[in-house]
Amino acid sequence: MKNDCAAKAATRVHEDNADFPRTELVVKTRKTMPLKSFTDEVRACRDLERFLKTPTILLDIPHTQLYKIMEEMVTKLQKNLDMDEEIAIQATQGFFTSQHQDDTLTSVTQLRQTIQGVKYRSQGQTEFEQSWLTTVCVLPNIKQSYVGIARLRHPVNFGANCEEVKFVVVVISPQKQKFTKSAVEIGRTFSTLLMVDVQLRLQLTEAEDEAQFKDVLEKYLHQLKDRRCHKEDVEMSGKSENREGDKSYSWRDVGRGVYDDLRRRLPHYKSDYVDGIVGKNTISKLLATVLFLYFACLLPDIAFGTLYQESTGGKLNVFTCILSQTFGGLMFAIFGGQPLLIMLTTAPLALYVKVIKMISSTFTWNFSAMYTMVGIWNAIFLLLEAFFNLSFLMKYSTRSTEEIFGFFIALAFTADAVTATITDFDLNYNFPSATDVNSTAVIGQCPTADLCFRPVNSILYLVLMLGTLWLGMTLLHFKNSPYLSARKREILADYSLPISVVTFAFLGSFIFRDIKSEPFYYNKETAFELSVPDVSNLPVVAHLAAMGLGLCLSCLFFVDQNVSGAFVNAPQNKLRKGSAYHWDLVVVALINTVLSIFNLPWLHAALPHSPLHVRALADTEQHVTSIGTVHDEIVRVRETRLSGILSHLLIGASLFFVDILQYIPVSVLQGLFLYLGLSSFIGNQMFERMLLIFTEESSYSPTHYVRNVPQRTVHMFTLVQFIQLIVVSVFGFVNLYYLKMIFPVILLLLLPIRHKILPKFIEKKYLDIMDQ
């Protein structure tokens, strides 16, 4: 009974208050945006050009109510641009927060989304530009944008900070639209026009009719285009002046680059050690980086050592790879100019050694002697390149060419893992035929060396490989999750690779120990057979062939070393101690001379290990840009030699228990390769632009090239890069030794292609923007 009475009372109250004003909450967010650059942002002039093709202009509107002004402007848009009547009604309503449209809508606070100009004076004073107002509306069921400009007959007071409005700009845009074509971005274009040029507003105010109003805007557009061309000419002349003013080296300045590198880096040599132990969280970062480098260098050495074992008949093997890594990594960490570079034997080097073996077998030359002579000639050419300052040519290496090479290295790691998985499935994932009399007896056995009935081995192989990848990538990005504290998340991200390798090595070797899998090949008896080969028995033609092979190999070293250095010394890494390209080549040449004499695998700076080393030693912060996007930014990097020295001492200690390392399943090694390969795609601008081809325009990230370069040009540039990547991959992956011989030369050809051929198809200003 009481409930019925309460319900009736509530009904009466509701009926009594039916005429009362409706109550609701309104969320207001103030967001600042930069003025639009008509010289840098390609959409700026295009927005104005598109408007001037079919302009919607209303002059001397007598209304003072916002709703009446909007209604008249939408009506004009509907008439001029053939807008659907239903859409026009939705647009008129969509500008306001209230759904009751009437003459009471007179205040700017009732508009859903507006853009105004603001000037910040001294002593914290804020001054709003009150002569104009831009309001935007987004509708889900339209396919194009609409823009209208209204000039009021008298300045109108629309409320606080909007008390003398003379111009009103309305923008209607589709809901799903590319960022640079969104309603806010179009509104920013016209707001910038009215904000920055008082003379333009005066001329628009004095225009007597719509034709004169349009003529003023067209003349202003021509002026903007002229300024843009003038700015490009100034920038080009400035760049040429900078090149001429830069400290360059001629052939007469023999050794000058090496001397300058030493003079630049030697004053920091002591701090290269101190910076590894001093500072907040530095010890923790150092230990995490040491463990990361230990696994990131040791496990590829094991994998490449297995490849060397097969391709060289055991002359190079796992033990020699680890020994080479220990010696070369330590020497470079101590004497190198840029200690953040990580020395490693790489897939292209393994392919090149296979070429030398094939040539030696074809002409019955001694492989060990040929390997030594090719390595010595390579070192000679590297020394010549260093002392004749050829590293200065890397100023012509742009971001796009470096990304092609980085993409190729990532593909090489990924392809190795995929190929190894296919090989394992071909070997093990087989089942006995139904005609076998005793089929159960052959399950888990290998009737021949190339055929095994062990499908469970292949399943476990796949689980361990993908599990290592999954756990590593999950922990790497764990710092972006909301779980645990910020410091604990950072520690887990720093130790992501060691944790994933140890976890799945334990699972494969102990939890699933009943499933027998083949460990990597290691022979204790042949591991210590290090000797100096006799090169005097090689014929003269072999020495000439070694010189040619050494020249091509030096090109590979030159590109790898300098591109890795460019990634490490990139401005976004904020390194403070300078680069040492020429001196690093000298150190690499001397290290590889020793390695060649004793038939140990060659080393040079490696991708992605070197930039990952920088990230491991860096403190990062998340920054929000002026357009609302979030990105990680490096705050500082601990530029220290200790991480390289300690990690390679650990790798050297592994020489005493290589047989214990065989407990690490090969599938975990391939998971590490996938981790290194896929993590290299993160931040690769070429990869990001390739994804744009398959991404809806409204989901494009507002990057600098999306904002400043036409979309078609972006896709064309990406397509050209992809074609270059295919060519590089053909020469790098196809199993034809004469193609692999000239692979290093193909890498060097990327430079003239970028500077001589691409500018004939794509404007240089756009190439420079995409290479920023």
Side-chain angles (χ1 to χ4, degrees):
M1 186 71 180
K2 289 182 178 180
N3 291 338
D4 293 340
C5 291
K8 291 178 180 179
T11 303
R12 285 196 300 270
V13 170
H14 178 74
E15 291 173 352
D16 292 342
N17 294 340
D19 296 331
F20 282 14
R22 187 162 57 94
T23 303
E24 61 184 5
L25 301 177
V26 177
V27 179
K28 289 285 186 178
T29 302
R30 178 170 174 175
K31 178 182 176 182
T32 60
M33 294 187 301
L35 295 170
K36 202 147 196 175
S37 172
F38 281 81
T39 55
D40 295 332
E41 298 187 57
V42 67
R43 291 299 314 179
C45 288
R46 291 192 175 187
D47 288 339
L48 187 53
E49 286 177 343
R50 187 173 179 274
F51 171 76
L52 290 174
K53 287 181 180 178
T54 52
T56 299
I57 301 170
L58 285 87
L59 300 183
D60 300 330
I61 295 181
H63 305 299
T64 59
Q65 294 95 354
L66 268 174
Y67 179 70
K68 289 290 186 181
I69 296 171
M70 295 299 171
E71 191 176 47
E72 186 167 341
M73 292 184 70
V74 172
T75 302
K76 185 70 177 289
L77 283 170
Q78 180 184 0
K79 179 180 178 181
N80 286 5
L81 303 177
D82 195 24
M83 180 189 292
D84 185 80
E85 184 176 354
E86 183 177 349
I87 293 176
I89 296 173
Q90 293 177 5
T92 306
Q93 296 174 349
F95 284 109
F96 297 92
T97 56
S98 174
Q99 298 302 311
H100 297 282
Q101 311 296 345
D102 51 42
D103 293 349
T104 62
L105 297 178
T106 59
S107 174
V108 69
T109 58
Q110 295 167 309
L111 289 173
R112 190 178 300 273
Q113 194 169 10
T114 61
I115 302 175
Q116 283 185 269
V118 179
K119 295 178 182 178
Y120 297 100
R121 302 294 186 184
S122 59
Q123 300 179 348
Q125 295 178 350
T126 302
E127 179 182 313
F128 281 83
E129 176 56 58
Q130 304 189 43
S131 65
W132 56 268
L133 173 69
T134 300
T135 179
V136 301
C137 170
V138 177
L139 297 179
N141 52 352
I142 61 174
K143 296 183 179 180
Q144 64 173 341
S145 300
Y146 302 92
V147 178
I149 300 178
R151 189 183 70 189
L152 307 184
R153 180 176 296 174
H154 305 289
V156 178
N157 184 352
F158 289 138
N161 300 320
C162 207
E163 299 174 0
E164 47 181 2
V165 177
K166 183 69 174 178
F167 295 95
V168 176
V169 180
V170 298
V171 180
I172 307 171
S173 176
Q175 189 170 22
K176 286 192 173 182
Q177 186 63 278
K178 182 181 176 183
F179 174 81
T180 54
K181 299 178 183 178
S182 65
V184 172
E185 283 296 300
I186 296 174
R188 190 162 72 96
T189 298
F190 290 92
S191 298
T192 302
L193 283 176
L194 296 173
M195 180 69 183
V196 299
D197 200 322
V198 178
Q199 291 296 322
L200 175 65
R201 291 205 305 268
L202 179 62
Q203 293 176 23
L204 293 177
T205 302
E206 295 175 347
E208 297 180 357
D209 52 33
E210 294 182 12
Q212 190 174 350
F213 194 98
K214 177 184 175 182
D215 187 57
V216 170
L217 289 176
E218 286 180 339
K219 289 180 179 179
Y220 193 77
L221 176 62
H222 290 309
Q223 293 176 13
L224 291 173
K225 290 182 176 180
D226 291 340
R227 292 178 198 169
R228 184 171 186 172
C229 294
H230 177 68
K231 181 184 178 183
E232 291 166 5
D233 293 339
V234 171
E235 288 179 347
M236 290 301 299
S237 62
K239 289 179 181 178
S240 62
E241 289 173 4
N242 288 337
R243 290 196 195 103
E244 294 168 2
D246 280 341
K247 188 175 182 180
S248 59
Y249 305 95
S250 70
W251 64 272
R252 298 183 182 88
D253 299 323
V254 178
R256 185 68 183 179
V258 174
Y259 172 77
D260 288 341
D261 287 345
L262 288 173
R263 189 176 63 174
R264 183 185 309 115
R265 290 294 310 196
L266 277 177
H268 301 290
Y269 193 77
K270 180 181 178 181
S271 67
D272 286 342
Y273 293 91
V274 175
D275 289 348
I277 56 176
V278 175
K280 183 181 178 181
N281 299 330
T282 296
I283 298 297
S284 174
K285 279 281 186 183
L286 177 65
L287 293 178
T289 304
V290 167
L291 287 178
F292 165 77
L293 291 179
Y294 175 74
F295 286 103
C297 294
L298 179 64
L299 299 188
D301 283 335
I302 293 173
F304 287 128
T306 305
L307 293 178
Y308 281 131
Q309 174 75 32
E310 297 173 358
S311 62
T312 64
K315 298 292 184 181
L316 304 178
N317 49 53
V318 173
F319 183 87
T320 58
C321 267
I322 297 177
L323 182 59
S324 171
Q325 182 70 45
T326 303
F327 171 77
L330 271 176
M331 292 299 101
F332 193 86
I334 295 173
F335 300 108
Q338 177 50 274
L340 297 181
L341 291 172
I342 296 300
M343 299 293 108
L344 196 72
T345 188
T346 60
L349 286 180
L351 297 173
Y352 208 82
V353 170
K354 187 176 182 180
V355 170
I356 297 173
K357 177 63 176 176
M358 294 170 63
I359 294 175
S360 301
S361 300
T362 302
F363 296 97
T364 64
W365 296 333
N366 182 276
F367 166 74
S368 298
M370 275 294 293
Y371 183 88
T372 297
M373 288 309 304
V374 172
I376 290 175
W377 277 113
N378 169 55
I380 292 172
F381 286 119
L382 286 178
L383 290 173
L384 291 174
E385 291 164 2
F387 282 101
F388 282 95
N389 312 305
L390 293 189
S391 286
F392 197 72
L393 293 175
M394 292 309 293
K395 68 178 182 179
Y396 298 110
S397 176
T398 61
R399 177 169 184 162
S400 58
T401 55
E402 294 165 3
E403 285 178 341
I404 293 171
F405 184 71
F407 205 114
F408 169 76
I409 296 298
L411 283 180
F413 278 112
T414 307
D416 284 341
V418 173
T419 302
T421 305
I422 293 174
T423 302
D424 184 85
F425 268 74
D426 289 340
L427 174 64
N428 294 312
Y429 200 77
N430 301 292
F431 300 89
S433 62
T435 58
D436 290 337
V437 177
N438 193 16
S439 60
T440 57
V442 298
I443 291 291
Q445 298 181 9
C446 297
T448 66
D450 299 326
L451 179 65
C452 295
F453 300 114
R454 301 183 300 190
V456 68
N457 287 53
S458 295
I459 299 300
L460 180 61
Y461 189 103
L462 197 62
V463 169
L464 294 179
M465 181 183 70
L466 296 181
T468 303
L469 170 66
W470 167 79
L471 185 58
M473 296 298 288
T474 300
L475 293 180
L476 179 65
H477 297 288
F478 194 74
K479 59 184 177 182
N480 298 327
S481 72
Y483 306 110
L484 304 180
S485 64
R487 180 60 187 150
K488 292 175 181 177
R489 293 197 300 265
E490 185 179 4
I491 291 174
L492 284 175
D494 290 340
Y495 288 90
S496 59
L497 183 60
I499 290 174
S500 61
V501 169
V502 171
T503 300
F504 281 91
F506 177 78
L507 287 174
S509 298
F510 293 96
I511 304 300
F512 295 99
R513 57 181 175 273
D514 294 335
I515 302 175
K516 302 297 181 183
S517 57
E518 295 295 328
F520 63 84
Y521 182 85
Y522 172 65
N523 189 342
K524 289 184 179 180
E525 297 179 358
T526 60
F528 294 89
E529 292 183 0
L530 298 177
S531 59
V532 179
D534 184 8
V535 299
S536 60
N537 294 328
L538 287 176
V540 175
V541 66
H543 284 280
L544 293 175
M547 182 172 65
L549 289 170
L551 176 61
C552 291
L553 183 61
S554 70
C555 294
L556 176 61
F557 269 74
F558 181 82
V559 173
D560 267 1
Q561 187 69 33
N562 284 289
V563 169
S564 299
F567 272 97
V568 167
N569 294 303
Q572 60 266 28
N573 291 334
K574 299 180 180 177
L575 303 184
R576 297 171 286 109
K577 299 180 182 180
S579 60
Y581 292 101
H582 307 88
W583 173 247
D584 284 345
L585 277 183
V586 173
V587 176
V588 169
L590 296 177
I591 290 173
N592 282 278
T593 300
V594 177
L595 299 179
S596 301
I597 292 173
F598 292 101
N599 268 198
L600 295 173
W602 298 313
L603 304 172
H604 57 59
L607 294 174
H609 296 69
S610 298
L612 288 178
H613 183 203
V614 175
R615 296 285 296 185
L617 289 169
D619 288 330
T620 60
E621 290 181 352
Q622 284 195 334
H623 284 246
V624 181
T625 64
S626 58
I627 51 178
T629 58
V630 180
H631 70 284
D632 287 333
E633 183 174 318
I634 290 178
V635 179
R636 72 178 180 114
V637 177
R638 299 163 179 85
E639 301 178 56
T640 179
R641 299 177 185 270
L642 291 180
S643 55
I645 293 173
L646 295 177
S647 61
H648 285 91
L649 286 175
L650 281 179
I651 293 172
S654 303
L655 291 169
F656 298 103
F657 50 87
V658 177
D659 50 342
I660 298 178
L661 293 176
Q662 289 186 298
Y663 284 104
I664 301 177
V666 174
S667 53
V668 174
L669 304 183
Q670 301 304 329
L672 170 71
F673 275 22
L674 278 180
Y675 174 90
L676 294 174
L678 296 182
S679 62
S680 300
F681 291 130
I682 301 173
N684 187 301
Q685 204 175 91
M686 175 184 173
F687 180 70
E688 294 172 353
R689 281 189 273 103
M690 290 174 65
L691 294 180
L692 289 184
I693 299 175
F694 310 100
T695 303
E696 188 178 21
E697 287 187 1
S698 60
S699 301
Y700 280 15
S701 299
T703 56
H704 67 280
Y705 50 85
V706 170
R707 298 174 66 86
N708 300 327
V709 181
Q711 180 178 330
R712 184 176 299 177
T713 304
V714 172
H715 292 332
M716 181 185 298
F717 181 73
T718 306
L719 178 62
V720 172
Q721 273 190 300
F722 183 69
I723 293 173
Q724 294 177 78
L725 176 65
I726 291 177
V727 174
V728 170
S729 300
V730 167
F731 282 85
F733 292 143
V734 175
N735 196 21
L736 297 173
Y737 73 89
Y738 52 84
L739 288 183
K740 298 183 187 300
M741 287 174 58
I742 61 173
F743 171 72
V745 179
I746 299 300
L747 294 178
L748 283 178
L749 289 178
L750 295 178
L751 299 182
I753 289 174
R754 164 61 180 85
H755 291 281
K756 297 298 181 183
I757 298 179
L758 277 183
K760 297 183 181 296
F761 301 96
I762 300 174
E763 290 185 54
K764 192 177 186 306
K765 61 182 179 182
Y766 295 142
L767 290 175
D768 291 339
I769 291 173
M770 287 184 284
D771 273 332
Q772 289 178 357

